[in-house]
């Protein structure tokens, strides 16, 4: 079945149903009934029988109409077909749930805690290659989350206690014919079922056992072949394509017949492209297809036409995404092509070409991150993440190319740190650095890059020990090899670690030293500007507001000139801090509003929570302690995903403690707690909308004395956990 782009909302991410759900009324009703009585329902069946479509239709029905939702915390879909590494299973579920966590806690623990009090329907699709891992995770989540229900689609059951399975058979003949006719009409508006062709169409459905995927493929051919011609070709191919191992399930032979029949109908060039495209995971674009698949036997200028042919035959799906037009192979189609590629003996070469393309893509994206195209780069890397993962796996599979994996994992620093992917970045950095083998001295620059990026990611996660070990190794290795740039990055990130550890004097020293080294090496990018912002932040915390304003004002100008927004957001935070110190609440709000907007767009949780807490303090100074308590209450739980060890004390904790103290004095303990609890109920989207509403709100009346001044000073109160 065609897969559609996900439609993200506050309560779910189910894809839009664009091609229509035909038939299956009885099956849909039965799955709904099972969901009413069981917390785990798995729809099973052969590939291509329509499991995904049925499960999505059942999920939409279970969700209810707007205002009548059965699951108050929504319905969420996790597509697992592209997840190759079992270690990424929990991260994929977290992403589907809209959950961001930057700590070193196990992702499974984070998931269980997040779902513990939720009333939510989780839809899992395509888990069969990770059945044991998925079963274990589902079992644990169901045990710890009494309000959770799971609706799964796979070729086999999960075999978890309490599971109710629903084996999905092919549709009845009338529904099969209706599906074939609908898909054929979509491909060719002139197509119609007539008295002359009805018998042939009924026979086609019968020969294909009514399997929806086979009918989709047949419908694509009905644009150029008559029903009688399609039927004749099926007759010619059945002997070969159903002659598998004796005792095999008929459904399996029927699916193989459908895919193999479509394969035989392709030209040799189309078959070759089909096989080569199977090296992609998830979506890909035309440029990638041309680079990876072209060769002496397939001119690059001919790939576009071949892609068009595969698209016309429903072997590819075209999708509009934030990263542009992209293509995807249905998984059963991709697997058939992969088997063909293996039989050609060309799989290893194509996988390396795939890796090389994504190495180049990551390099280009890193360079383009320091430009007005940051959002486009973020969207592109997000779309290409399954392929980047596959490229990293390819590097790890070959010890002599481990340096490429280190380079790739390090080159994606901007995505790990700037787009809310710290946990996944840590996963790949640890794997590439811990893997034995490779010529370390020859490719030391790649290892040094991975080390400073690991130090950066670990520091943001609150893992000071791992961060320091990686950065000292990078610094020492850079000194031995004379790598001035790597040395500057190591010193910079040691300064960053000192900053988040509240050692401001040490941070000022190291960040100043790193900035000098960057300038001496001629380095200028988002990292260099972030170093300058972090130095400004240290100066601001130490009371040198003129120095902080000079540094961050310069960064702001450079960012606006270059179109850089991610680093700019942190500069705006420091400028807002300084403005609030000087009593400029209006300027501080304006600066922080832009900061919140940017960080939210990039999914940068660290920058977002810092800005929101300072904005809550601004709100107190503006005379609305009730709204400040709401904002503070909403922001505080976000710290659990940032790193409690480092960001929960000292300088970074001062706005939070001051907001609690001032708003609490004005509201009283009970009212402050009530408004704070109101904030904790806000989702992130709602919180950001509320924060950006700003001065347009009407302040709630305060029964106690006047509002204290806005001055931000380091709290003398003991650090507490958020």
């Amino acid at each position: 079945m065609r897969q559609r782009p996900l439609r993200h909302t506050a309560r779910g991410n189910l894809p839009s149903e664009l091609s229509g759900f035909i038939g299956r009324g009885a099956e849909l009703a039965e799955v709904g009934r099972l969901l009413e009585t069981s917390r785990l329902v798995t729809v099973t069946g052969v590939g291509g029988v329509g499991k995904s479509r049925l499960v999505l239709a059942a999920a939409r029905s279970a969700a209810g109409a707007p205002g009548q939702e059965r699951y108050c915390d929504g319905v969420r879909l996790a597509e697992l077909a592209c997840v190759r590494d079992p270690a990424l299973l929990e991260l994929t579920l977290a992403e589907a749930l809209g959950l961001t966590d930057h700590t070193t806690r196990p992702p499974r623990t984070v998931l269980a805690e997040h779902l513990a009090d939720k009333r939510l329907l989780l839809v899992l699709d395509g888990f069969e290659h990770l059945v044991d891992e998925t079963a274990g995770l589902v079992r644990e989540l169901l045990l710890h989350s009494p309000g959770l229900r799971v609706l799964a689609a796979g070729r086999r059951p999960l075999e978890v206690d309490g599971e109710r399975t629903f084996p999905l058979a092919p549709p009845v003949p009338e529904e099969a014919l209706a599906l074939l006719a609908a898909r054929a009409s979509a491909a060719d508006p002139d197509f119609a079922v007539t008295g002359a062709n009805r018998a042939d169409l009924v026979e086609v459905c019968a020969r294909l056992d009514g399997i929806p995927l086979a009918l989709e493929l047949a419908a694509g051919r009905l644009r150029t072949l008559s029903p009688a011609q399609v039927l004749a070709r099926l007759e010619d191919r059945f002997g070969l394509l159903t002659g598998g191992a004796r005792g095999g399930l008929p459904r399996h032979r029927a699916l193989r017949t459908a895919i193999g029949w479509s394969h035989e109908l392709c030209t040799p060039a189309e078959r070759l492209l089909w096989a080569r495209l199977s090296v992609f995971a998830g979506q890909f674009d035309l440029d990638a297809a041309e680079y990876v698949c072209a060769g002496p036997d397939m001119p690059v200028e001919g790939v576009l036409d071949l892609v068009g042919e595969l698209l016309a035959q429903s072997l590819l799906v075209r999708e509009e995404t934030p990263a542009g037009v992209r293509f995807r192979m249905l998984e059963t189609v991709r697997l058939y092509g992969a088997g063909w590629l293996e039989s050609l003996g060309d799989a290893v070469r194509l996988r390396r070409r795939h890796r090389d393309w994504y190495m180049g893509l990551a390099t280009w994206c890193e360079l383009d991150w320091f430009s007005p195209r940051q959002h486009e780069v973020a969207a592109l890397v997000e779309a290409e993440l399954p392929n980047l993962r596959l490229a990293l796996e390819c590097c790890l599979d070959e010890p002599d190319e481990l340096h490429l994996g280190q380079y790739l994992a390090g080159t994606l620093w901007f995505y790990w740190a700037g787009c809310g992917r710290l946990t996944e970045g840590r996963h790949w950095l640890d794997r590439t650095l811990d893997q034995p083998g490779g010529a370390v001295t020859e490719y030391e620059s790649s290892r040094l890059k991975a080390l400073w990026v690991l130090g950066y990611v670990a520091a943001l996660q609150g893992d000071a020990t791992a961060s320091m070990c990686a950065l000292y190794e990078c610094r020492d290795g850079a000194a031995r090899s004379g790598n001035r740039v790597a040395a500057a990055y190591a010193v910079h990130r040691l300064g960053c670690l000192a900053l988040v550890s509240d050692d401001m004097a040490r941070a000022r020293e190291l960040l100043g030293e790193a900035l000098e080294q960057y300038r001496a090496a001629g380095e200028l990018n988002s990292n260099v500007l972030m170093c300058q912002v972090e130095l400004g932040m240290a100066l601001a915390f130490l009371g040198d507001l003129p120095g902080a304003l000079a540094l961050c004002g310069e960064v702001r100008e450079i960012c606006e000139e270059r179109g850089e927004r991610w680093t700019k957001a942190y500069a705006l935070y420091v400028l807002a801090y300084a403005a609030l110190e000087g009593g400029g609440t209006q300027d501080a709000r304006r600066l922080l509003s832009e900061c919140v907007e940017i960080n939210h767009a990039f999914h940068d949780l660290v920058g977002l929570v810092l800005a929101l807490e300072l904005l809550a303090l601004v709100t107190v100074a503006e005379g609305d302690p009730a709204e400040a308590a709401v904002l503070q209450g909403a922001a505080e739980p976000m710290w659990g995903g940032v790193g409690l060890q480092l960001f929960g004390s000292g300088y970074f904790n001062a706005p939070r403690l001051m907001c609690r103290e001032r708003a609490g004095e004005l509201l009283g303990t009970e009212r402050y707690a009530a408004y704070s609890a109101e904030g904790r109920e806000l989702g992130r989207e709602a919180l950001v909308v509320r924060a950006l509403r700003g001065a347009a709100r009407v302040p709630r009346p305060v029964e106690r004395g006047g509002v204290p001044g806005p001055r931000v000073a380091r709290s003398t109160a003991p650090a507490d956990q958020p």
Side-chain angles (χ1 to χ4, degrees):
M1 300 294 101
R2 291 180 183 269
Q3 296 184 2
R4 296 299 181 187
L6 296 182
R7 178 166 49 85
H8 292 272
T9 68
R11 294 193 175 276
N13 65 340
L14 296 181
S16 301
E17 183 60 71
L18 300 180
S19 58
F21 187 69
I22 298 173
R24 301 292 203 182
E27 293 90 338
L28 189 59
E30 178 62 14
V31 171
R33 188 188 67 79
L34 292 175
L35 266 179
E36 293 288 341
T37 59
S38 176
R39 296 181 59 210
L40 171 60
V41 177
T42 304
V43 177
T44 61
V46 65
V49 78
K51 301 183 297 293
S52 298
R53 292 288 291 268
L54 179 66
V55 160
L56 289 176
R60 292 189 193 94
S61 177
Q68 301 176 348
E69 293 87 353
R70 300 181 188 179
Y71 299 94
C72 57
D73 292 302
V75 179
R76 289 281 174 173
L77 167 66
E79 294 181 306
L80 306 181
C82 292
V83 180
R84 308 297 175 82
D85 184 350
L88 298 177
L89 178 61
E90 291 91 344
L91 294 178
T92 302
L93 260 64
E95 179 182 358
L97 292 168
L99 177 61
T100 303
D101 186 85
H102 293 339
T103 69
T104 57
R105 293 178 298 169
R108 183 169 296 204
T109 300
V110 175
L111 281 170
E113 291 178 359
H114 175 74
L115 292 171
D117 60 350
K118 298 291 189 296
R119 184 173 178 81
L120 180 142
L121 176 62
L122 177 61
V123 183
L124 302 178
D125 191 18
F127 62 80
E128 43 268 339
H129 59 302
L130 298 172
V131 63
D132 292 334
E133 294 84 356
T134 304
L137 178 57
V138 167
R139 180 184 295 110
E140 183 170 340
L141 293 180
L142 289 172
L143 284 173
H144 292 89
S145 310
L148 174 68
R149 291 184 183 243
V150 178
L151 177 58
R155 299 186 187 187
R156 54 167 294 176
L158 285 167
E159 297 182 354
V160 173
D161 290 342
E163 179 185 35
R164 295 293 302 273
T165 61
F166 180 75
L168 183 61
V172 297
E174 295 80 8
E175 289 184 352
L177 178 60
L179 175 61
L180 177 61
R183 299 297 182 255
S185 297
D188 179 8
D190 294 330
F191 176 85
V193 179
T194 67
N197 65 20
R198 183 181 180 86
D200 289 334
L201 291 171
V202 169
E203 183 65 16
V204 166
C205 293
R207 293 290 184 91
L208 295 178
D209 285 347
I211 294 177
L213 176 57
L215 300 178
E216 296 260 5
L217 296 171
R221 279 300 175 183
L222 286 171
R223 290 198 305 175
T224 53
L225 299 175
S226 69
Q229 288 175 313
V230 170
L231 185 59
R233 287 174 177 261
L234 286 176
E235 185 69 34
D236 293 339
R237 298 298 185 267
F238 265 178
L240 174 65
L241 296 174
T242 58
R246 293 185 181 277
L249 293 176
R251 293 180 188 171
H252 293 172
R253 293 199 299 271
L255 177 62
R256 190 164 56 249
T257 296
I259 303 297
W261 160 72
S262 182
H263 189 264
E264 289 298 317
L265 289 176
C266 289
T267 66
E270 290 165 5
R271 294 178 202 165
L272 186 59
L273 181 61
W274 179 353
R276 291 178 176 177
L277 288 175
S278 69
V279 300
F280 290 98
Q283 299 173 339
F284 58 89
D285 63 16
L286 181 61
D287 290 338
E290 288 176 336
Y291 176 87
V292 174
C293 301
D297 51 356
M298 183 176 291
V300 66
E301 59 271 15
V303 173
L304 173 59
D305 290 338
L306 291 173
V307 166
E309 288 300 316
L310 294 181
L311 187 64
Q313 299 173 58
S314 298
L315 295 169
L316 286 179
V317 177
R318 180 184 184 275
E319 296 180 344
E320 294 280 354
T321 75
V325 174
R326 305 178 66 75
F327 305 96
R328 179 196 296 272
M329 264 192 178
L330 301 172
E331 184 63 12
T332 48
V333 174
R334 190 198 67 77
L335 289 173
Y336 191 95
W340 192 262
L341 188 65
E342 289 286 349
S343 70
L344 295 174
D346 207 18
V348 173
R349 183 184 71 86
L350 263 293
R351 194 177 181 199
R352 287 174 177 167
R353 283 186 67 82
H354 174 277
R355 176 206 62 202
D356 292 345
W357 171 261
Y358 287 99
M359 292 278 293
L361 180 75
T363 301
W364 174 83
C365 285
E366 181 188 30
L367 294 172
D368 222 30
W369 180 255
F370 188 47
S371 78
R373 293 176 293 279
Q374 276 188 327
H375 279 294
E376 289 87 341
V377 169
L380 178 59
V381 177
E382 183 75 18
E384 293 288 12
L385 187 57
N387 285 303
L388 289 164
R389 289 169 173 167
L390 197 59
L392 284 161
E393 288 286 1
C394 181
C395 297
L396 290 167
D397 287 345
E398 302 186 37
D400 290 340
E401 295 183 346
L402 188 59
H403 62 287
L404 297 178
Q406 293 167 353
Y407 172 83
L408 181 53
T411 297
L412 291 169
W413 67 265
F414 62 92
Y415 185 63
W416 310 140
C419 299
R421 290 282 189 170
L422 292 177
T423 304
E424 176 149 2
R426 180 72 180 270
H427 169 81
W428 292 113
L429 290 161
D430 282 340
R431 285 190 65 188
T432 59
L433 288 167
D434 292 345
Q435 195 89 353
V440 175
T441 55
E442 183 179 355
Y443 302 111
E444 193 167 10
S445 62
S446 296
R447 181 173 179 82
L448 293 178
K449 185 170 189 175
L451 283 168
W452 74 252
V453 176
L454 173 59
Y456 181 25
V457 167
L460 293 179
Q461 285 187 307
D463 191 348
T465 301
S467 176
M468 194 172 298
C469 289
L471 292 172
Y472 279 140
E473 182 181 346
C474 179
R475 186 193 63 179
D476 295 344
R480 288 195 306 270
S481 62
N483 190 325
R484 293 193 303 164
V485 173
Y489 279 105
V491 174
H492 172 192
R493 294 310 170 190
L494 284 168
C496 176
L497 181 59
L499 179 72
V500 300
S501 302
D502 282 350
D503 190 350
M504 293 302 151
R506 179 66 171 160
R508 177 176 57 188
E509 175 188 350
L510 289 171
L511 293 168
E513 179 185 342
L515 204 54
E516 291 178 1
Q517 293 180 10
Y518 280 139
R519 289 167 178 166
E523 190 88 346
L524 179 62
N525 54 35
S526 297
N527 270 306
V528 176
L529 293 181
M530 186 64 80
C531 180
Q532 188 166 330
V533 169
E534 290 163 350
L535 179 56
M537 191 178 293
L539 294 179
F541 288 155
L542 291 172
D544 182 4
L545 294 182
L549 286 170
L551 286 171
C552 292
E554 182 183 12
V555 170
R556 183 183 184 182
E557 291 178 2
I558 296 173
C559 287
E560 289 175 349
E561 176 185 340
R562 298 294 188 106
E564 211 278 3
R565 287 174 54 79
W566 175 64
T567 307
K568 178 186 176 182
Y570 284 87
L572 294 173
Y573 172 83
V574 179
L575 294 173
Y577 184 98
L580 187 57
E581 280 278 272
T585 56
Q586 187 173 357
D587 287 341
R589 173 169 291 281
R590 176 176 49 81
L591 293 164
L592 286 170
S593 293
E594 186 177 358
C595 181
V596 166
E597 187 177 8
I598 294 172
N599 283 317
H600 180 58
F602 282 116
H603 308 290
D604 187 341
L605 193 58
V606 175
L608 181 60
V609 70
L610 288 174
L612 286 169
E613 290 205 329
L614 192 56
L615 189 59
L617 189 56
V618 170
T619 306
V620 172
E622 291 174 332
D624 195 348
E627 183 67 12
V630 172
L631 293 177
Q632 185 63 61
E636 285 181 10
M638 295 170 62
W639 280 105
V642 172
L644 302 178
Q645 302 96 314
L646 298 180
F647 288 92
S649 63
Y651 296 94
F652 290 100
N653 199 34
R656 181 190 326 149
L657 293 180
M658 295 177 70
C659 180
R660 286 180 187 170
E661 179 182 353
R662 293 177 177 179
E665 288 177 356
L666 293 163
L667 296 169
T669 303
E670 291 185 4
R671 292 181 66 204
Y672 178 87
Y675 285 125
S676 180
E678 178 184 333
R680 284 193 292 274
E681 295 299 316
L682 291 175
R684 194 171 304 160
E685 291 286 345
L687 170 59
V688 169
V689 170
R690 188 159 183 162
L692 294 178
R693 186 175 60 186
R697 72 188 188 284
V698 177
R700 302 177 223 203
V702 179
E703 297 176 357
R704 298 199 175 191
V707 178
R711 181 167 179 75
V712 184
R714 182 177 182 182
S715 173
T716 57
D720 67 345
Q721 295 296 333

